[in-house]
Amino acid sequence: MQWVTTYAEKVVSASEAVSKIKSGNRVVIGSATSAPEYLIKAMIANKEQYENVEISNLVPLGKCEYAWEGMEKYFKYNGLFLSAGTREVVNSGRGDFTPAYFHEVPKYYIEYLPVDVCLVQVSKADQHGYFSLGGSVDYTKPAVDAAKLVIVQVNKYVPRTHGDSFIHVSDVDYIVEYDEPMPEYKSGAITEVEEAIGKNIASLIEDGDTLQLGIGTIPDATLTFMKGYKNLGLHSEMISDGVVDLIKQGVINNKVKSINRGKSLITFFMGTQKLYDFVNDNPGIEMRPVSYVNNPYIISQNDHMTAINSCLQVDMVGQVVSESIGTKQYSGVGGQVDYMRGANMSKGGKAIIAMPSTASKGKISRIVSVLDQGAIVTTNRNDVNYVVTEYGIAKLKGKTIRDRAKALIEIAHPDFRAQLEEEFYNRYKSSSKDINL
Ligand code: COA
């Protein structure tokens, strides 16, 4: 087997591998669970050798040491979707942020931010010399394909996932062998508020719908109401533990999907070992690049596409803020607009934004008259149809701006309704109560 010899020739130590990164290079790190933590540690240890190395990624987990204070001497950070480890570097001005629809990110790393070096962790090679990219195909596979230099960490804990998730030994430049458990992401316990939101969302879902769900307790709560459903499909940027039991029980069986029938189509996942064991060598889970999975035109080819996403703030005309708190960048657009648009274009599709009615332990209403100064509109008011809170569902499409405001005030937290009503009056010189929806 020729690949065995090729493999052996490419194996190096982590310090040798990262010595191939040169000052001024753009280093793209695999997303979420595909980030090779051992290689990143070696790159940090080698920092004195670098100047102006750009680190770019989306949804980084882990410590993100390259973004810590003092690292700007060696690394400049450029995120396209922030997480806990990269918010500070961007909002303090030591790093930067590039806005991009998730489905376009592969194009970014080829055309606008061309990748020099790609760092990624992969499964052990199979008998034919193919590694699987495991948890992330999204931009990670296109970045591997486009990079001038590809360094992989071969890790026996990375699951072997199916779809367009394979790269051959001949396609990588350096191999570093190091086993470490996959990072785990655990959702919190479902609160009463999230349970009520989940119940309201579930009332919009019908047998045979194809679902897109994000991560967190709202999707988890929604899924607990799906037990009696039949023939649900999955076409989702990502999945977490919540879907595993429903697939095992045959509730999600992808049998009546319009495209990719029989497959749960995703581009990345993160969860616990329960999920990682489930996706391992599972041909029912099909991973493809985000340029396909999140392309609104592809999404829209699923009839009854139901997209469920979350946000931080919604104003009275239905503008949705999901990625910033005022001027502070919190996350990114990710796949939110991809799915809202895809669902709106789908025959019988539903574009849903769901959120608790308040934030900061009930002190702040997420439904507001006017957005916070500097807030970034993630989903514009024409792209959202349903807004859901624990108090109900506001259906926006087809409604005038005054009707929208009334519907949104009705699902705001009762503590804030009088204030919102006053702001409605100041704006429209009439009471929302005079409108019959
Ligand atoms: N004003 C001030 N603070 C607010 C706020 C508001 N209007 N809304 C929320 N917050 C605070 C919360 O209190 C919380 O603070 P804490 O961590 O101190 O408790 C924090 O902001 C995060 O809010 P939360 O609602 O818990 O966010 P989340 O972790 O559930 O993530 C999004 C929600 C919207 C940020 C996330 O879903 C996202 O980034 N979406 C965009 C991308 C996307 O939708 N992709 C497609 C699906 S994968």
Side-chain angles (χ1 to χ4, degrees), residues 403-422:
D403 292 350
R404 283 171 169 245
K406 178 182 169 70
L408 287 163
I409 292 171
E410 283 175 357
I411 62 160
H413 192 285
D415 290 354
F416 296 96
R417 286 184 201 164
Q419 187 191 329
L420 289 165
E421 179 58 39
E422 195 182 321

Side-chain angles (χ1 to χ4, degrees), residues 81 237 309-312 322 325 330-333 335-336 359-360 366:
F81 188 101
E237 166 183 315
N309 289 289
S310 193
C311 77
L312 301 165
S322 310
I325 299 176
Y330 187 82
S331 53
V333 57
Q336 183 163 121
S360 298
R366 297 202 195 213

Side-chain angles (χ1 to χ4, degrees), residues 402-403 406 409-410 421 424-425 428-437:
R402 288 192 310 153
D403 292 350
K406 178 182 169 70
I409 292 171
E410 283 175 357
E421 179 58 39
F424 181 99
Y425 191 87
Y428 299 117
K429 311 297 174 232
S430 63
S431 164
S432 80
K433 302 207 170 58
D434 297 336
I435 298 173
N436 286 323
L437 290 183

Side-chain angles (χ1 to χ4, degrees), residues 15 18 65 83 85 120 134 143 148 196 205 255 262 265 268 284 292 299 317 351 369 403 437:
S15 54
V18 298
E65 235 177 298
S83 309
V120 64
K148 297 185 189 101
I205 299 174
K255 276 195 178 150
L265 192 78
F268 82 101
Y292 178 83
I299 295 166
V317 293
S369 165
D403 292 350
L437 290 183

Side-chain angles (χ1 to χ4, degrees), residues 210-214 234-237 305-309 335 339:
T210 291
L211 306 181
Q212 174 256 329
L213 301 139
L234 201 60
H235 180 129
S236 192
E237 166 183 315
M305 181 74 214
T306 299
I308 303 153
N309 289 289
Y339 279 92

